[in-house]
C-alpha cells in the first residue's frame, strides 16, 4: 500500500487531502500541532479503511520531523510527502513597513526551513519508493504582488525555488509546487479577517491534486484549479 505524509493535516486543505488520499487507498502519516484536532482528522480518514498514524508536533522541531519519518518507515516506507503546514508571519497580515521581523522569521522557519528539513529526513525513503513524490503547497502570493502578503509570499516563493532545485537534483522523484488557489480556510480568515467574499471549500481542489498523482506530469509548478479546468 502506498504511504503518504501530510503536514498541517488537522484542518483545511491538509485535512481534505488526507480524506481524499484515504479514499484512494493511501496509508497516511498525519502531522499537526493540535493533537485533539489531528485525532479527528485521523478518525475521519480511517473511515476509508486505510492505516492512519497521527503524530502531533511542530514541523520546525527536528525531533518531530524524525518521528514523522519513523512512523512512515513503520508503515513500510514513504511514497508521497505533502508539505502543507504554513505560517503567515502576522495575523492579520500587515504591510511590509509594519511586518514584525520575528514573524517573518517564523514564516520562513515553518514554510521553508522545516519543509526542506522534512525532505532531507525523508529522502532515503522517497528514493527507495520507486515513485517518490514531493508536493509543496504554494500560493499565488509566491508569484503575484498582493498588498500585505509580502512576507508570506516571499516564504512561498523561496519554497517554490527550493522545490525547483530539488527536482533538478533528484530527477528520479516527482517534485511539484502546487498553488491551490483561493480557499475558505482558517489560514485565510486569520490573514484577512472580515473578508466575507465566498471562497471554495478546500475539498473542491483536492481532485486537482489527485489528477497530478494519477497523471504524474513532469516536476514543476502547477495550479490545482487549472488542472481541473477551473478558473482560479
Amino acid at each position: 500500500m502506498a504511504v503518504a505524509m501530510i503536514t498541517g493535516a488537522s484542518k483545511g486543505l491538509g485535512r481534505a487531502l488526507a480524506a481524499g488520499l484515504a479514499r484512494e487507498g493511501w496509508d497516511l502519516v498525519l502531522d499537526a500541532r493540535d493533537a485533539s484536532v489531528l485525532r479527528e482528522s485521523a478518525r475521519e480518514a480511517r473511515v476509508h479503511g486505510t492505516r492512519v498514524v497521527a503524530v502531533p508536533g511542530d514541523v520546525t522541531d527536528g525531533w518531530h520531523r524524525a518521528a514523522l519519518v519513523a512512523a512512515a518507515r513503520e508503515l513500510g516506507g514513504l511514497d508521497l510527502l505533502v508539505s502543507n503546514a504554513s505560517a503567515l508571519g502576522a495575523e492579520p497580515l500587515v504591510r511590509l513597513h509594519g511586518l514584525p521581523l520575528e514573524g517573518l522569521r517564523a514564516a520562513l522557519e515553518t514554510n521553508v526551513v522545516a519543509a526542506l528539513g522534512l525532505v532531507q529526513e525523508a529522502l532515503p525513503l522517497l528514493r527507495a519508493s520507486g515513485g517518490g513524490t514531493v508536493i509543496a503547497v504554494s500560493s499565488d502570493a509566491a508569484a503575484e504582488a498582493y498588498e500585505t502578503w509580502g512576507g508570506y509570499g516571499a516564504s512561498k516563493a523561496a519554497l517554490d525555488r527550493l522545490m525547483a532545485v530539488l527536482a533538478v537534483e533528484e530527477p528520479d522523484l516527482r517534485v511539484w509546487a502546487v498553488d491551490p488557489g483561493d480557499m475558505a480556510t482558517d489560514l485565510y480568515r486569520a490573514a484577512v479577517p472580515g473578508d466575507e467574499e465566498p471562497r471554495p471549500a478546500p475539498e473542491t481542489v483536492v481532485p486537482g491534486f489527485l489528477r497530478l498523482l494519477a497523471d504524474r506530469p513532469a516536476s514543476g509548478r502547477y495550479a490545482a484549479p487549472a488542472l481541473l479546468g477551473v478558473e482560479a
Side-chain angles (χ1 to χ4, degrees), residues 31-48:
D31 148 273
R33 287 178 297 178
D34 188 322
S36 61
V37 185
L38 183 61
R39 279 196 297 272
E40 282 302 303
S41 284
R43 183 194 59 75
E44 184 177 293
R46 288 191 189 102
V47 167
H48 302 288

Side-chain angles (χ1 to χ4, degrees), residues 76-79 122-132 170 172-173:
L78 185 63
D79 304 286
L123 263 179
L125 295 183
L126 291 167
R127 287 169 175 156
S129 156
E170 300 288 339
D172 292 335
L173 303 183

Side-chain angles (χ1 to χ4, degrees), residues 182-194:
D182 270 351
M183 297 180 294
T185 63
D186 286 357
L187 186 80
Y188 186 83
R189 284 185 283 272
V192 192

Side-chain angles (χ1 to χ4, degrees), residues 2-196:
V3 178
M5 179 188 301
I6 305 172
T7 65
S10 63
K11 49 192 174 182
L13 178 60
R15 185 169 186 161
L17 275 174
L21 289 172
R23 277 195 297 272
E24 298 281 319
W26 290 76
D27 291 330
L28 299 172
V29 177
L30 303 181
D31 148 273
R33 287 178 297 178
D34 188 322
S36 61
V37 185
L38 183 61
R39 279 196 297 272
E40 282 302 303
S41 284
R43 183 194 59 75
E44 184 177 293
R46 288 191 189 102
V47 167
H48 302 288
T50 61
R51 297 178 295 170
V52 181
V53 179
V55 185
D58 191 326
V59 290
T60 64
D61 180 341
W63 287 98
H64 175 59
R65 295 194 296 268
L68 288 168
V69 173
R73 191 177 291 109
E74 286 293 314
L75 289 179
L78 185 63
D79 304 286
L80 169 63
L81 167 60
V82 182
S83 282
N84 172 64
S86 296
L88 289 166
E91 299 182 9
L93 293 176
V94 295
R95 293 164 63 107
L96 286 175
H97 74 78
L99 177 63
L101 297 184
E102 281 306 310
L104 177 59
R105 290 190 185 97
L108 292 169
E109 186 69 29
T110 298
N111 303 350
V112 183
V113 178
L116 177 59
L118 194 52
V119 166
Q120 291 173 338
E121 191 80 31
L123 263 179
L125 295 183
L126 291 167
R127 287 169 175 156
S129 156
T133 302
V134 177
I135 295 178
V137 176
S138 185
S139 167
D140 57 350
E144 301 290 339
Y146 300 123
E147 185 177 355
T148 73
W149 289 83
Y152 180 78
S155 71
K156 290 295 186 177
L159 178 63
D160 283 3
R161 182 51 45 187
L162 284 182
M163 293 301 107
V165 173
L166 179 66
V168 172
E169 294 178 347
E170 300 288 339
D172 292 335
L173 303 183
R174 284 289 188 274
V175 184
W176 302 314
V178 181
D179 170 10
D182 270 351
M183 297 180 294
T185 63
D186 286 357
L187 186 80
Y188 186 83
R189 284 185 283 272
V192 192
D195 183 348
E196 302 297 334

